[in-house]
Amino acid sequence: QVPLVESGGGSVQAGGSLALSCRFSGDMRNYVRMAWFRQGLGKEREGVAGITLNNYTAYADSVKGRFTVSRDNAKNTLYLQMSSLKPEDTAMYYCAASLSWGALLAPITYKSWGQGTQVTVSS
């Protein structure tokens, strides 16, 4: 599996913005699905935003209109721009990639995962 390395997490006040990056060590065009997931304390991992090889995107209802997923094939990097952050967005955020087709925001679709980056939003 190709290592994925997230960066960009941190602490921010409610209403603020953060941008996450996920660097692929190989050619990200090999992957047909890429997504961001998050897992809060005591919660299950949930799909936040995903993007396909042909740039179809999908978002969890809780982040629609606030988060934007994008990719830069030349830089082998996946991005998640987060704005209007809320305390309930606090979680460890993970990027993931899949060589095969499957539900875009379902964890079971993905076999390659990053180590995670913490996002903390204070009220």
Side-chain angles (χ1 to χ4, degrees), residues 52-100:
T52 67
L53 184 63
N54 54 0
N55 291 321
Y56 169 82
T57 58
Y59 297 90
D61 288 343
S62 58
V63 307
K64 280 180 182 176
R66 301 189 298 121
F67 290 14
T68 302
V69 61
S70 62
R71 56 190 289 174
D72 186 333
N73 291 338
K75 295 182 178 179
N76 287 317
T77 303
L78 180 71
Y79 301 99
L80 184 67
Q81 179 66 46
M82 305 183 293
S83 60
S84 301
L85 283 161
K86 305 175 181 180
E88 50 264 43
D89 294 317
T90 295
M92 185 71 79
Y93 282 71
Y94 301 88
C95 67
S98 177
L99 297 169
S100 58

Side-chain angles (χ1 to χ4, degrees), residues 1-6 22-37 45 49-53 71 76-78 94-104 106-114:
Q1 305 298 330
V2 175
L4 309 174
V5 180
E6 302 98 335
C22 175
R23 182 77 163 85
F24 286 56
S25 63
D27 190 344
M28 71 186 309
R29 292 170 296 181
N30 292 327
Y31 294 85
V32 297
R33 263 126 171 74
M34 286 166 276
W36 288 95
F37 291 81
R45 189 168 296 191
I51 186 168
T52 67
L53 184 63
R71 56 190 289 174
N76 287 317
T77 303
L78 180 71
Y94 301 88
C95 67
S98 177
L99 297 169
S100 58
W101 303 102
L104 190 52
I108 197 171
T109 297
Y110 298 88
K111 288 183 170 56
S112 295
W113 292 85

